[in-house]
Amino acid sequence: MKPSSSTKLIGIFGDPVSHSLSPAMQNAAFEHMGIDAVYLAFHVPARPAAALKTAVSSIKALGFMGVNITVPHKEKVIEFLDHVDNEAVDIGAVNTIVNKAGKLIGYNTDARGYIESLRQETGFSPQGKNAVVIGAGGASRAIAFALLKAGAKRLVIANRTLRRAQTLSRDLKKRFLNAEITAVPLDKKFLRPIAEDSLLIVNTTSLGMINNEELDFPLYSLPTDAVVSDIVYRPLDTGFIKKALIRGLSVHRGLGMLVHQGALAFELWTGKKAPLDVMRMAALKALRNR
Ligand code: ATR
């Protein structure tokens, strides 16, 4: 559909943002569904701090349907919104804003997007299971929250900087009183015994991304029915995923979370069921063209 004077605007605010696959994925979905909207990437710098405030006020001023928010703005953006959904408040981060008749409502679709793609692609349900989350940044926070909300029994957060893992663990314990939540250093000595009775391992760090070092995790200590999950999608198969496949374990690749969080955002903006396959194909095509 060609943009016209009645075309609705949607966008993504981030820094950096030019690498984002969301424009390709969302525009393919609008096209497929015959929705007269266009999704664009906007570079909103981390500094000066006023840049984000101004960008958010433009959502109302220009009548955007909504936007996605990405690094480094997901936490900071909360203070500029009219209302924030409970789950996003609990996670402390917003990745989707809906402009509802001039009121800006914030949501977090990362957490639910992660669980939905994990379920769809591996059949894994966190209920009553032991999981390990590698990393303690923003992505880890959303995924750890999602796993606990979905009923994980024990969650171990392993991070290079132990203090960050401890802070995240403390925050989660306040919300999930019955779960066993611990923080450990990202060190094989600690991870080996934990791996022995864990059924899900998730990498939420940038380890394994193109040009970065690989994550070194004792995959051979995992039970044979464990699932190995990686949020990195460039490359599609990280070294961590490849090693898990060689070991014969089920895997969950990063592209799934990207597509599902986008699908949930699409549904919040349009009220229509997202065309998941169309979005996945568009994201894959955009990845291949880089
Ligand atoms: P995001 O919001 O994408 O999660 P972040 O908040 O910067 O990004 O968090 C990045 C995570 O990747 C952190 O857990 C970080 O570990 P530290 O807390 O020790 O910094 C982890 N990470 C990044 N590079 C790493 C590396 N080379 N080795 C180990 N962990 C790394």
Side-chain angles (χ1 to χ4, degrees), residues 137-180:
S140 164
R141 193 169 278 270
I143 289 173
F145 178 92
L147 292 172
L148 289 165
K149 197 168 174 211
K153 186 171 100 196
R154 187 188 80 192
L155 186 76
V156 175
I157 302 160
N159 198 44
R160 176 177 61 179
T161 312
L162 179 60
R163 194 179 34 79
R164 275 186 102 187
Q166 288 167 331
T167 304
L168 177 54
S169 152
R170 244 194 326 270
D171 290 350
L172 291 166
K173 275 180 188 159
K174 285 184 210 149
R175 169 70 173 73
F176 299 98
L177 302 174
N178 296 325
E180 190 189 323

Side-chain angles (χ1 to χ4, degrees), residues 110 113-115 117-118 121-122 132-135 139-140 143 147 199-210 212-217 219 222 226-245 249-259 280 287:
D110 288 330
Y114 177 78
I115 295 292
S117 68
L118 179 67
E121 290 167 37
T122 67
V132 180
V133 171
I134 314 281
S140 164
I143 289 173
L147 292 172
L199 285 178
L200 176 72
I201 314 299
V202 193
N203 174 38
T204 71
T205 73
S206 48
L207 288 169
M209 205 180 274
I210 286 174
N212 284 6
E213 19 164 343
E214 293 290 349
L215 168 63
D216 187 19
F217 184 91
L219 284 171
L222 288 170
V227 172
V228 168
S229 171
D230 198 333
I231 69 161
V232 173
Y233 54 80
R234 216 185 315 238
L236 285 173
D237 277 2
T238 58
F240 185 45
I241 290 288
K242 281 186 187 151
K243 279 190 197 146
L245 287 169
L249 300 170
S250 288
V251 299
H252 173 233
R253 296 172 180 84
L255 196 72
M257 177 179 176
L258 176 85
V259 172
R280 182 183 297 276
L287 253 183

